[in-house]
Amino acid sequence: MLRQTITRQSARLTSVRFASSHPVSKASIVELENRWETLPQVDQQEIVSQLAERQKLPWGELTEAEKKAAWYISYGSWGPRRPVHPKGESGKIASGVFIGLGVSLAIFLGVRAMAPEAPKTMSREWQEASDEYLKSKNANPWSSYSQVQSK
């Protein structure tokens, strides 16, 4: 039983060493950034598995193309990391935001210009007179004017 387990483990290690000791075909990983999303799913999985096996080796044994391909697959701008807005769209978005702000400001100023005069109760004199009246009536028992303390 133990002999079979050891034999299986050594066979598995030998196949892993054999598979990972040969570099990945340069033709399959050159310019991977440009053609990754158009590759069939099967080819993508094959490249990923080959690179995963190669990455089990010391990093210095990987070729430069393998390092670039591994980095792109792990951190590149494809799939969920693809930019939401393509290049050149940020200017259009910014101009749209500023146009929207300008239109809203124009509408606000237009409505404000057409509004009637402020009511007389909004004048400073009216507000001061109402404060004096409230002080004389002890109208705000919680925070100001004069609190009446009952015994």
Side-chain angles (χ1 to χ4, degrees):
M1 187 81 164
L2 182 60
R3 187 180 312 165
Q4 290 174 347
T5 306
I6 292 173
T7 306
R8 284 186 206 143
Q9 292 295 333
S10 65
R12 188 178 307 153
L13 287 175
T14 306
S15 66
V16 168
R17 284 187 191 138
F18 179 72
S20 63
S21 64
H22 299 294
V24 178
S25 169
K26 189 168 183 171
S28 65
I29 58 175
V30 71
E31 294 184 13
L32 193 63
E33 301 86 15
N34 299 334
R35 55 191 181 84
W36 178 255
E37 296 206 36
T38 59
L39 280 175
Q41 187 71 22
V42 175
D43 291 344
Q44 288 180 354
Q45 290 301 324
E46 184 179 333
I47 291 172
V48 168
S49 64
Q50 288 175 353
L51 286 174
E53 290 298 320
R54 286 288 291 165
Q55 289 178 16
K56 292 179 183 175
L57 296 174
W59 191 248
E61 293 183 23
L62 271 67
T63 64
E64 195 66 31
E66 289 172 337
K67 290 177 186 178
K68 286 181 181 179
W71 185 90
Y72 179 76
I73 290 170
S74 298
Y75 304 109
S77 60
W78 64 275
R81 290 180 298 275
R82 180 183 310 125
V84 176
H85 305 291
K87 289 184 178 181
E89 286 290 315
S90 58
K92 292 178 184 177
I93 293 170
S95 63
V97 168
F98 288 123
I99 288 171
L101 287 173
V103 167
S104 63
L105 181 66
I107 291 172
F108 172 77
L109 292 176
V111 168
R112 181 94 184 221
M114 292 186 298
E117 191 177 315
K120 64 180 180 176
T121 57
M122 294 300 292
S123 67
R124 184 170 189 83
E125 295 81 21
W126 189 282
Q127 293 292 323
E128 288 173 356
S130 65
D131 284 349
E132 290 299 321
Y133 178 75
L134 290 174
K135 281 182 189 177
S136 69
K137 297 295 182 183
N138 295 327
N140 191 355
W142 289 287
S143 64
S144 66
Y145 304 134
S146 62
Q147 295 180 353
V148 178
Q149 300 294 325
S150 60
K151 296 181 180 180

